[in-house]
């Protein structure tokens, strides 16, 4: 989900994979058996779990690995990784038994939530064991309608479909409710998590409060989250869609976004949000897109008129009153493409962002892809109204506070079809981030925070939370995972000890 953070599945989109390297000054001191062969790890699981374990070549394995978007992975790079076997548990108890067995045998493993992370190895593992939470996708609402319990393998569409029918919602996924409720992780009442010992605990503000806080941004460093309990609120239909303009006057459009962010941070309409997308192909700019959303069934509210009333022709206008499921589907990206994400946080400054858009164009100047290719820079206003909510909900570890002022998250995304373009796109993407970061730092308008759902492999989002939060996360991990199972045997995800460079 958009949390520690779930994946289009939940774990990825909360406040949140993957290569990690142990730092030179870290010696976890793990005392485990000699490494079993990969086939022995899977044989042991097969003996215990029977048909819940599948192997390459079987129908079950291929459905879980590829799945055409219904079971498998969102990005082509993720399903190109082939584990020795896949375990599909049907309960938290299954996960508990599996984690204990894999730790005892020193078997390396990965955890797939919703399968949205694009990295090869983020939620899959070459020649290891993948624990696929795809069948843990229950969505249950409490009798008093205040809590929605969501399985760790659910995707946000599973949640929206259930809650739309009940006129309810939670803050997560495409979080249009952030000005009212904060980041998605701030809306989690409790986590059911399987620890390395196999113990299943429910972490909340009153039980295991240190673990509860750590899970709100700490990724998969503490165990396997098998259920999220979300605070739930009444929500009818809302108003939203896409408005597409030609790529003209970007600085003027960015100024509208800057003004909106400032007003929101100063206590503006909390029902109004907007994302601003600058879209490009290999030949240059293609469109400027707004996704204005109002979480009431009211068309064209005053707060969003700066984006709906621009005196220019609209190439597309799909705005309308609809439920959250249908609104989210409007902007969904198809499964199976090759993809890369990257992220940066900048000051709320239109001129700065306009220059960063130019740096992006320079990075791809002269690129001639062998297949289809496009990229975008997706600007999300993050105002003080959003960052102020963490302290009201038990805190999180993101290090985002109102003291930083109003900022933009710039979520870069590229999509293409030919594997032959991989190296060039990776290199040009890295070039863009190196140059844009240097420029923003020179202007004194760069913020260190990196939103983990969209970070590059070369980035280090957990370190970007700040030294104090990183030290807290390491202490919590050592307390609940003293043998460092989730640091050494689970290479996917953002790890707590990483070598830079």
């Amino acid at each position: 989900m958009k949390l520690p953070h779930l994946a289009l599945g939940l774990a990825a989109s909360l406040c949140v994979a993957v290569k990690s390297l142990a730092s030179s000054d870290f010696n976890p001191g793990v005392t485990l058996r000699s490494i079993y062969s990969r086939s022995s790890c899977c044989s042991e699981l097969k003996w215990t779990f029977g048909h819940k374990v599948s192997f390459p070549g079987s129908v079950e394995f291929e459905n879980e690995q590829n799945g055409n978007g219904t079971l498998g992975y969102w990005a082509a790079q993720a399903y190109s990784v082939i584990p020795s076997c896949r375990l599909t548990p049907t309960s938290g108890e299954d996960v508990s038994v599996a984690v204990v067995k894999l730790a005892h045998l020193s078997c390396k493993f990965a955890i797939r939530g919703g399968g949205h992370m694009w990295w090869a190895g983020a939620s899959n593992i070459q020649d290891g064991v993948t624990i696929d939470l795809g069948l843990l996708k229950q969505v249950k609402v409490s009798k008093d309608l205040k809590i929605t319990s969501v399985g760790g393998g659910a995707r946000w569409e599973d949640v929206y479909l259930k809650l739309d029918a009940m006129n309810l919602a939670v803050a997560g996924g495409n979080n249009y409710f952030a000005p009212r409720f904060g980041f998605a992780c701030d809306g989690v009442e409790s986590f059911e998590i399987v620890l390395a010992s196999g113990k299943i605990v429910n972490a909340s503000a009153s039980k295991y409060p240190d673990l509860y806080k750590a899970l709100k941004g700490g990724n998969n460093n503490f165990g396997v989250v098998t259920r999220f309990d979300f605070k739930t609120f009444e929500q009818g239909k809302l108003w939203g869609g896409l408005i597409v303009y030609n790529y003209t006057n970007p600085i003027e459009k960015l100024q509208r976004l800057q003004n909106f962010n400032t007003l929101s941070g100063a206590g503006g309409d909390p029902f109004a949000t907007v994302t601003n997308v600058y879209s490009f192909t290999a030949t240059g700019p293609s469109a400027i897109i707004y996704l204005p959303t109002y979480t009431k069934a009211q068309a064209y509210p005053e707060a969003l008129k700066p984006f709906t009333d621009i005196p220019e022709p609209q190439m597309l206008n799909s705005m309308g009153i609809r439920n959250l499921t249908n609104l989210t589907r409007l902007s969904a990206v198809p499964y199976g493409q090759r993809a890369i994400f990257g992220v940066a946080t900048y000051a709320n400054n239109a001129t700065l962002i306009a220059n960063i858009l130019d740096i992006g164009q320079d990075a791809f100047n002269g690129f001639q892809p062998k297949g289809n290719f496009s990229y975008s820079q997706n600007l999300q206003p993050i105002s003080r109204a959003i960052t102020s909510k963490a302290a009201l909900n038990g805190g999180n570890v993101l290090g985002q506070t109102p003291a930083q002022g109003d900022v933009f998250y710039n979520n870069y995304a590229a999509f293409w079809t030919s594997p032959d373009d991989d190296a060039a796109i990776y290199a040009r993407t890295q070039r863009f981030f190196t140059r844009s970061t240097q420029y923003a730092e020179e202007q004194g308008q760069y913020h260190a925070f990196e939103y983990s759902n969209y970070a590059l492999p070369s980035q280090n989002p957990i370190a970007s939370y700040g030294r104090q939060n990183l030290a807290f996360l390491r202490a919590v991990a050592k307390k609940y995972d003293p043998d460092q199972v989730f640091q050494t045997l689970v290479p996917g995800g953002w790890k707590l000890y990483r070598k830079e460079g």
Side-chain angles (χ1 to χ4, degrees), residues 242-250 253-254 275-291 310 312-316 357 361 374-379:
L242 293 85
I243 300 176
V244 181
Y245 294 96
N246 286 308
Y247 198 102
T248 56
N249 303 316
K253 294 182 175 67
L254 286 166
T275 297
N276 189 192
V277 179
Y278 292 78
S279 182
F280 303 84
T281 66
T283 58
S286 61
I288 297 175
I289 306 165
Y290 289 110
L291 291 84
I310 296 175
E312 295 179 13
Q314 296 178 351
M315 300 167 62
L316 172 70
L357 294 177
Q361 291 190 67
S374 65
Y375 79 93
S376 62
Q377 300 202 41
N378 309 281
L379 298 168

Side-chain angles (χ1 to χ4, degrees), residues 374-413:
S374 65
Y375 79 93
S376 62
Q377 300 202 41
N378 309 281
L379 298 168
Q380 292 185 300
I382 304 296
S383 73
R384 289 162 289 164
I386 297 173
T387 55
S388 66
K389 302 300 188 296
L392 305 176
N393 293 281
N396 61 45
V397 294
L398 302 180
Q400 299 284 277
T401 70
Q404 73 187 11
D406 308 312
V407 299
F408 288 130
Y409 290 171
N410 184 12
N411 300 327
Y412 160 95

Side-chain angles (χ1 to χ4, degrees), residues 233-276:
F233 50 89
E234 293 183 1
Q235 177 64 48
K237 290 186 176 180
L238 33 70
W239 181 78
L242 293 85
I243 300 176
V244 181
Y245 294 96
N246 286 308
Y247 198 102
T248 56
N249 303 316
I251 185 64
E252 192 272 340
K253 294 182 175 67
L254 286 166
Q255 188 63 55
R256 291 170 181 263
L257 195 68
Q258 176 185 325
N259 294 344
F260 174 84
N261 203 14
T262 300
L263 287 172
S264 179
D269 192 334
F271 296 93
T273 62
V274 65
T275 297
N276 189 192

Side-chain angles (χ1 to χ4, degrees), residues 385-449:
I386 297 173
T387 55
S388 66
K389 302 300 188 296
L392 305 176
N393 293 281
N396 61 45
V397 294
L398 302 180
Q400 299 284 277
T401 70
Q404 73 187 11
D406 308 312
V407 299
F408 288 130
Y409 290 171
N410 184 12
N411 300 327
Y412 160 95
F415 303 96
W416 66 101
T417 55
S418 174
D420 293 338
D421 290 324
D422 286 5
I425 292 170
Y426 294 160
R428 289 174 183 267
T429 295
Q430 188 61 59
R431 184 187 311 166
F432 161 66
F433 274 94
T434 299
R435 293 177 178 176
S436 60
T437 298
Q438 180 181 4
Y439 166 70
E441 287 177 336
E442 290 170 352
Q443 303 304 309
Q445 298 184 69
Y446 180 79
H447 290 251
F449 177 74

